[in-house]
mmCIF file of all heavy atoms in Angstrom:
data_model
loop_
_atom_site.group_PDB
_atom_site.id
_atom_site.type_symbol
_atom_site.label_atom_id
_atom_site.label_comp_id
_atom_site.label_asym_id
_atom_site.label_seq_id
_atom_site.Cartn_x
_atom_site.Cartn_y
_atom_site.Cartn_z
ATOM 1 N N GLU A 51 -171.145 37.299 -108.030
ATOM 2 C CA GLU A 51 -171.790 38.063 -107.011
ATOM 3 C C GLU A 51 -172.941 38.814 -107.518
ATOM 4 O O GLU A 51 -174.013 38.949 -106.931
ATOM 5 C CB GLU A 51 -170.857 38.951 -106.361
ATOM 6 C CG GLU A 51 -171.304 39.849 -105.091
ATOM 7 C CD GLU A 51 -171.977 39.047 -104.030
ATOM 8 O OE1 GLU A 51 -171.495 37.926 -103.776
ATOM 9 O OE2 GLU A 51 -172.779 39.598 -103.307
ATOM 10 N N LYS A 52 -172.827 39.480 -108.689
ATOM 11 C CA LYS A 52 -173.927 40.193 -109.459
ATOM 12 C C LYS A 52 -175.030 39.288 -109.497
ATOM 13 O O LYS A 52 -176.231 39.716 -109.308
ATOM 14 C CB LYS A 52 -173.443 40.835 -110.666
ATOM 15 C CG LYS A 52 -172.695 42.129 -110.552
ATOM 16 C CD LYS A 52 -172.106 42.626 -111.753
ATOM 17 C CE LYS A 52 -173.220 43.060 -112.757
ATOM 18 N NZ LYS A 52 -172.677 43.695 -113.948
ATOM 19 N N LYS A 53 -174.839 37.987 -110.137
ATOM 20 C CA LYS A 53 -175.899 37.106 -110.394
ATOM 21 C C LYS A 53 -176.584 36.680 -108.984
ATOM 22 O O LYS A 53 -177.834 36.417 -109.104
ATOM 23 C CB LYS A 53 -175.270 35.833 -111.155
ATOM 24 C CG LYS A 53 -175.052 36.250 -112.568
ATOM 25 C CD LYS A 53 -174.442 34.952 -113.218
ATOM 26 C CE LYS A 53 -174.072 35.160 -114.735
ATOM 27 N NZ LYS A 53 -173.664 33.963 -115.370
ATOM 28 N N ARG A 54 -175.796 36.491 -108.132
ATOM 29 C CA ARG A 54 -176.283 36.042 -106.677
ATOM 30 C C ARG A 54 -177.370 37.167 -106.281
ATOM 31 O O ARG A 54 -178.369 36.765 -105.811
ATOM 32 C CB ARG A 54 -175.268 35.779 -105.811
ATOM 33 C CG ARG A 54 -175.706 35.165 -104.503
ATOM 34 C CD ARG A 54 -174.392 34.767 -103.635
ATOM 35 N NE ARG A 54 -174.047 36.006 -103.073
ATOM 36 C CZ ARG A 54 -174.572 36.789 -102.047
ATOM 37 N NH1 ARG A 54 -175.766 36.230 -101.533
ATOM 38 N NH2 ARG A 54 -174.121 37.817 -101.475
ATOM 39 N N ARG A 55 -176.946 38.334 -106.378
ATOM 40 C CA ARG A 55 -177.716 39.455 -105.918
ATOM 41 C C ARG A 55 -179.023 39.555 -106.817
ATOM 42 O O ARG A 55 -180.063 39.843 -106.225
ATOM 43 C CB ARG A 55 -177.017 40.869 -105.918
ATOM 44 C CG ARG A 55 -176.225 41.064 -104.658
ATOM 45 C CD ARG A 55 -175.612 42.356 -104.567
ATOM 46 N NE ARG A 55 -174.253 42.296 -105.138
ATOM 47 C CZ ARG A 55 -173.636 43.053 -106.147
ATOM 48 N NH1 ARG A 55 -174.448 43.944 -106.638
ATOM 49 N NH2 ARG A 55 -172.451 42.904 -106.480
ATOM 50 N N LEU A 56 -178.883 39.455 -107.975
ATOM 51 C CA LEU A 56 -180.078 39.350 -108.901
ATOM 52 C C LEU A 56 -180.996 38.280 -108.616
ATOM 53 O O LEU A 56 -182.233 38.581 -108.524
ATOM 54 C CB LEU A 56 -179.589 39.198 -110.447
ATOM 55 C CG LEU A 56 -180.663 39.105 -111.388
ATOM 56 C CD1 LEU A 56 -181.728 40.257 -111.404
ATOM 57 C CD2 LEU A 56 -180.178 38.727 -112.764
ATOM 58 N N GLU A 57 -180.591 37.169 -108.258
ATOM 59 C CA GLU A 57 -181.415 36.028 -107.963
ATOM 60 C C GLU A 57 -182.209 36.336 -106.568
ATOM 61 O O GLU A 57 -183.325 35.996 -106.512
ATOM 62 C CB GLU A 57 -180.709 34.715 -107.852
ATOM 63 C CG GLU A 57 -180.262 34.216 -109.245
ATOM 64 C CD GLU A 57 -181.387 34.004 -110.218
ATOM 65 O OE1 GLU A 57 -182.396 33.479 -109.802
ATOM 66 O OE2 GLU A 57 -181.279 34.315 -111.356
ATOM 67 N N GLY A 58 -181.466 37.065 -105.748
ATOM 68 C CA GLY A 58 -182.144 37.534 -104.397
ATOM 69 C C GLY A 58 -183.287 38.452 -104.743
ATOM 70 O O GLY A 58 -184.361 38.428 -104.178
ATOM 71 N N GLN A 59 -182.948 39.380 -105.653
ATOM 72 C CA GLN A 59 -184.085 40.288 -106.170
ATOM 73 C C GLN A 59 -185.270 39.720 -106.848
ATOM 74 O O GLN A 59 -186.313 40.086 -106.622
ATOM 75 C CB GLN A 59 -183.431 41.495 -106.959
ATOM 76 C CG GLN A 59 -182.281 42.395 -106.323
ATOM 77 C CD GLN A 59 -181.636 43.230 -107.140
ATOM 78 O OE1 GLN A 59 -181.624 43.025 -108.460
ATOM 79 N NE2 GLN A 59 -180.787 44.022 -106.514
ATOM 80 N N LEU A 60 -184.824 38.692 -107.582
ATOM 81 C CA LEU A 60 -185.929 37.866 -108.258
ATOM 82 C C LEU A 60 -186.777 37.095 -107.319
ATOM 83 O O LEU A 60 -188.063 37.069 -107.577
ATOM 84 C CB LEU A 60 -185.316 37.059 -109.345
ATOM 85 C CG LEU A 60 -184.667 37.784 -110.617
ATOM 86 C CD1 LEU A 60 -183.904 36.813 -111.406
ATOM 87 C CD2 LEU A 60 -185.649 38.674 -111.227
ATOM 88 N N LEU A 61 -186.185 36.635 -106.292
ATOM 89 C CA LEU A 61 -186.900 35.888 -105.265
ATOM 90 C C LEU A 61 -187.977 36.916 -104.570
ATOM 91 O O LEU A 61 -189.076 36.439 -104.326
ATOM 92 C CB LEU A 61 -186.088 35.315 -104.244
ATOM 93 C CG LEU A 61 -185.469 33.950 -104.550
ATOM 94 C CD1 LEU A 61 -184.379 33.555 -103.583
ATOM 95 C CD2 LEU A 61 -186.517 32.928 -104.725
ATOM 96 N N GLU A 62 -187.470 38.234 -104.384
ATOM 97 C CA GLU A 62 -188.254 39.143 -103.705
ATOM 98 C C GLU A 62 -189.540 39.479 -104.674
ATOM 99 O O GLU A 62 -190.602 39.775 -104.169
ATOM 100 C CB GLU A 62 -187.554 40.423 -103.470
ATOM 101 C CG GLU A 62 -186.489 40.148 -102.231
ATOM 102 C CD GLU A 62 -185.753 41.362 -101.944
ATOM 103 O OE1 GLU A 62 -185.799 42.409 -102.683
ATOM 104 O OE2 GLU A 62 -184.761 41.300 -101.241
ATOM 105 N N LEU A 63 -189.275 39.614 -105.895
ATOM 106 C CA LEU A 63 -190.255 39.968 -106.891
ATOM 107 C C LEU A 63 -191.272 38.847 -106.902
ATOM 108 O O LEU A 63 -192.390 38.996 -106.897
ATOM 109 C CB LEU A 63 -189.619 40.111 -108.288
ATOM 110 C CG LEU A 63 -190.529 40.262 -109.439
ATOM 111 C CD1 LEU A 63 -191.425 41.534 -109.308
ATOM 112 C CD2 LEU A 63 -189.844 40.247 -110.776
ATOM 113 N N ARG A 64 -190.666 37.439 -106.973
ATOM 114 C CA ARG A 64 -191.675 36.372 -107.039
ATOM 115 C C ARG A 64 -192.568 36.469 -105.777
ATOM 116 O O ARG A 64 -193.801 36.343 -105.932
ATOM 117 C CB ARG A 64 -190.874 35.141 -107.006
ATOM 118 C CG ARG A 64 -191.779 33.775 -107.015
ATOM 119 C CD ARG A 64 -190.899 32.639 -106.997
ATOM 120 N NE ARG A 64 -189.866 32.594 -107.979
ATOM 121 C CZ ARG A 64 -190.088 32.113 -109.278
ATOM 122 N NH1 ARG A 64 -191.365 31.700 -109.572
ATOM 123 N NH2 ARG A 64 -189.053 31.992 -110.162
ATOM 124 N N ASP A 65 -191.990 36.663 -104.501
ATOM 125 C CA ASP A 65 -192.807 36.717 -103.377
ATOM 126 C C ASP A 65 -193.889 37.773 -103.366
ATOM 127 O O ASP A 65 -194.964 37.671 -103.064
ATOM 128 C CB ASP A 65 -191.885 37.031 -102.039
ATOM 129 C CG ASP A 65 -191.072 35.721 -101.788
ATOM 130 O OD1 ASP A 65 -191.362 34.613 -102.326
ATOM 131 O OD2 ASP A 65 -190.028 35.877 -100.968
ATOM 132 N N ARG A 66 -193.441 38.982 -103.928
ATOM 133 C CA ARG A 66 -194.405 40.162 -104.037
ATOM 134 C C ARG A 66 -195.518 39.774 -104.975
ATOM 135 O O ARG A 66 -196.702 39.971 -104.631
ATOM 136 C CB ARG A 66 -193.610 41.411 -104.446
ATOM 137 C CG ARG A 66 -194.593 42.634 -104.358
ATOM 138 C CD ARG A 66 -193.848 43.879 -104.881
ATOM 139 N NE ARG A 66 -193.878 43.901 -106.187
ATOM 140 C CZ ARG A 66 -192.793 43.966 -107.024
ATOM 141 N NH1 ARG A 66 -191.631 44.027 -106.616
ATOM 142 N NH2 ARG A 66 -192.988 44.091 -108.342
ATOM 143 N N LEU A 67 -195.247 39.173 -106.139
ATOM 144 C CA LEU A 67 -196.267 38.821 -107.040
ATOM 145 C C LEU A 67 -197.135 37.794 -106.486
ATOM 146 O O LEU A 67 -198.289 37.830 -106.766
ATOM 147 C CB LEU A 67 -195.620 38.374 -108.345
ATOM 148 C CG LEU A 67 -194.903 39.391 -109.165
ATOM 149 C CD1 LEU A 67 -194.183 38.790 -110.435
ATOM 150 C CD2 LEU A 67 -195.760 40.583 -109.654
ATOM 151 N N GLU A 68 -196.630 36.845 -105.820
ATOM 152 C CA GLU A 68 -197.470 35.695 -105.236
ATOM 153 C C GLU A 68 -198.388 36.378 -104.107
ATOM 154 O O GLU A 68 -199.505 35.989 -104.007
ATOM 155 C CB GLU A 68 -196.565 34.733 -104.523
ATOM 156 C CG GLU A 68 -195.944 33.631 -105.652
ATOM 157 C CD GLU A 68 -194.981 32.785 -105.006
ATOM 158 O OE1 GLU A 68 -194.606 32.857 -103.875
ATOM 159 O OE2 GLU A 68 -194.450 31.946 -105.860
ATOM 160 N N GLY A 69 -197.792 37.378 -103.410
ATOM 161 C CA GLY A 69 -198.619 37.934 -102.281
ATOM 162 C C GLY A 69 -199.658 38.812 -102.891
ATOM 163 O O GLY A 69 -200.835 38.921 -102.294
ATOM 164 N N GLU A 70 -199.603 39.315 -104.050
ATOM 165 C CA GLU A 70 -200.649 40.102 -104.607
ATOM 166 C C GLU A 70 -201.716 39.284 -105.046
ATOM 167 O O GLU A 70 -202.847 39.710 -105.107
ATOM 168 C CB GLU A 70 -200.127 40.881 -105.777
ATOM 169 C CG GLU A 70 -199.139 42.117 -105.486
ATOM 170 C CD GLU A 70 -198.538 42.667 -106.540
ATOM 171 O OE1 GLU A 70 -198.838 42.368 -107.858
ATOM 172 O OE2 GLU A 70 -197.776 43.760 -106.424
ATOM 173 N N GLY A 71 -201.395 38.080 -105.423
ATOM 174 C CA GLY A 71 -202.499 37.021 -105.800
ATOM 175 C C GLY A 71 -203.114 37.257 -107.130
ATOM 176 O O GLY A 71 -204.189 36.710 -107.465
ATOM 177 N N ARG A 72 -202.559 38.251 -107.982
ATOM 178 C CA ARG A 72 -203.172 38.486 -109.250
ATOM 179 C C ARG A 72 -202.937 37.612 -110.407
ATOM 180 O O ARG A 72 -203.510 37.398 -111.266
ATOM 181 C CB ARG A 72 -202.939 39.995 -109.709
ATOM 182 C CG ARG A 72 -203.639 41.082 -108.798
ATOM 183 C CD ARG A 72 -203.259 42.484 -109.318
ATOM 184 N NE ARG A 72 -201.801 42.811 -109.287
ATOM 185 C CZ ARG A 72 -201.259 43.293 -110.275
ATOM 186 N NH1 ARG A 72 -201.848 43.633 -111.317
ATOM 187 N NH2 ARG A 72 -199.964 43.625 -110.153
ATOM 188 N N LEU A 73 -201.707 37.010 -110.297
ATOM 189 C CA LEU A 73 -201.140 36.165 -111.420
ATOM 190 C C LEU A 73 -201.055 34.732 -110.909
ATOM 191 O O LEU A 73 -200.763 34.433 -109.580
ATOM 192 C CB LEU A 73 -199.730 36.704 -111.712
ATOM 193 C CG LEU A 73 -199.701 38.071 -112.261
ATOM 194 C CD1 LEU A 73 -198.051 38.391 -112.464
ATOM 195 C CD2 LEU A 73 -200.422 38.212 -113.448
ATOM 196 N N ASP A 74 -201.170 33.653 -111.796
ATOM 197 C CA ASP A 74 -200.994 32.393 -111.408
ATOM 198 C C ASP A 74 -199.465 31.992 -111.569
ATOM 199 O O ASP A 74 -198.744 32.834 -111.965
ATOM 200 C CB ASP A 74 -201.814 31.564 -112.263
ATOM 201 C CG ASP A 74 -201.460 31.432 -113.866
ATOM 202 O OD1 ASP A 74 -200.315 31.807 -114.083
ATOM 203 O OD2 ASP A 74 -202.325 31.082 -114.584
#
Side-chain angles (χ1 to χ4, degrees):
E51 180 62 22
K52 279 175 70 171
K53 286 180 179 179
R54 193 179 70 75
R55 277 188 263 126
L56 171 61
E57 290 302 319
Q59 293 168 351
L60 293 174
L61 280 173
E62 291 175 6
L63 172 63
R64 180 184 306 275
D65 287 346
R66 191 180 80 238
L67 293 173
E68 287 174 352
E70 290 174 0
R72 293 184 297 134
L73 303 174
D74 63 24

